[in-house]
Amino acid sequence: MSTLPADPIPEPGQPVGVALEPKSKGIIPVPAWMDHLDGMIDSGWDRLRGHHPVDRAVFGLTESANHSLVWAVLGAAQSLPRPDRWKRVGRFAAAMGIESALVNGPLKALVLRPRPVPRFQEWTLRTPRTSSFPSGHSSAAFCAAVLLSDDSDVPTPVWFGLAGAVALSRVHVGIHWMVDTIGGGLIGYALGKAALRIVPLDPAGQPPRTA
C-alpha cells in the first residue's frame, strides 16, 4: 500500500493552521473546501488541547481502539452469555473484518490524503502511515456500535456515544481530520446496518428452532 510522508511537527501549543489545498493525492480527491474547513477545525481544536488529564484520557481511549481491540472485547462480552452466542460472534467478526479490509485497503488507496500534524509527541502514539481518509478507527467504531446495539441490554446511545468519543479522539490527538472521522463513521454505520440485514438475530436472542 502507498504511504505518505510525515508532516513536520510544530512546537507544543502551536496551531496547525489551515491545511494545504488540495491534500489528497489519490484517484478520488477530497474537495478543496473540505481541506480548508478541516484546517480551520483542527486549528480551532487546539483550544481543547493542553489539559493534561483530558489529553491523557483521550490518548488512552484512542489507543484502546487500535486494531479494534476494545470493540472485540465488548463484542465478546456481550455475545458469549447469550444462547445464540456463536451467531453473534460470527456476525460481529465477519462484519468487522470486512470493514477493516475495505476501509484500510481500497478506500484509503483511492484517496491518499495526508494526515494532520500528530500531537502529544511526549507519549508513544501509534501513527499510521496510510491515507488519512477515511478514518479506520471511526468506521470500526460505528460499525461496532450498530452491531452492539442490536438486541442489547445497554441503551443504544451509550454505544454510539462511545463510538463518537473514539472518532473525536482521533481528531484530538492529531491523527485524522474531522472529515476523515465523519466519512469513516458513515461508512462503518452503513456496513453495520448491512450486516444486521444480511444476518438478523433470532427473536429475543433465542436459538433457531430445530425440526
Side-chain angles (χ1 to χ4, degrees):
M1 178 178 295
S2 301
T3 59
L4 300 168
D7 293 319
I9 299 172
E11 295 298 322
Q14 176 184 341
V16 174
V18 176
L20 297 176
E21 302 173 1
K23 296 196 299 292
S24 50
K25 304 174 183 178
I27 297 174
I28 302 177
V30 173
W33 68 267
M34 287 188 180
D35 291 339
H36 183 76
L37 178 62
D38 269 337
M40 294 178 63
I41 291 173
D42 200 65
S43 181
W45 201 277
D46 266 351
R47 300 175 184 176
L48 304 177
R49 299 173 177 126
H51 307 284
H52 187 81
V54 175
D55 294 341
R56 189 66 187 178
V58 172
F59 173 84
L61 177 62
T62 202
E63 287 289 282
S64 72
N66 284 344
H67 309 296
S68 298
L69 178 61
V70 66
W71 306 117
V73 171
L74 291 172
Q78 183 192 69
S79 300
L80 292 180
R82 302 296 186 95
D84 57 348
R85 62 181 64 88
W86 300 121
K87 184 175 186 179
R88 288 174 179 266
V89 168
R91 183 180 71 171
F92 192 89
M96 296 297 285
I98 292 172
E99 172 276 322
S100 180
L102 179 63
V103 170
N104 295 305
L107 291 183
K108 284 184 178 287
L110 287 172
V111 180
L112 292 180
R113 192 186 200 201
R115 294 174 182 269
V117 178
R119 317 303 287 181
F120 312 115
Q121 294 301 304
E122 66 271 25
W123 298 324
T124 302
L125 181 67
R126 176 179 171 271
T127 306
R129 303 281 294 180
T130 53
S131 173
S132 188
F133 185 93
S135 165
H137 274 61
S138 300
S139 61
F142 279 88
C143 182
V146 171
L147 297 170
L148 290 169
S149 63
D150 187 28
D151 189 28
S152 174
D153 295 330
V154 178
T156 296
V158 172
W159 296 123
F160 282 95
L162 180 58
V166 168
L168 291 178
S169 76
R170 306 303 283 171
V171 175
H172 190 85
V173 300
I175 299 298
H176 281 289
W177 308 97
M178 183 64 76
V179 167
D180 303 335
T181 64
I182 294 173
L186 292 174
I187 292 169
Y189 181 85
L191 292 173
K193 285 294 187 180
L196 298 191
R197 181 177 292 273
I198 295 171
V199 187
L201 295 178
D202 299 299
Q206 298 297 320
R209 296 180 180 178
T210 57

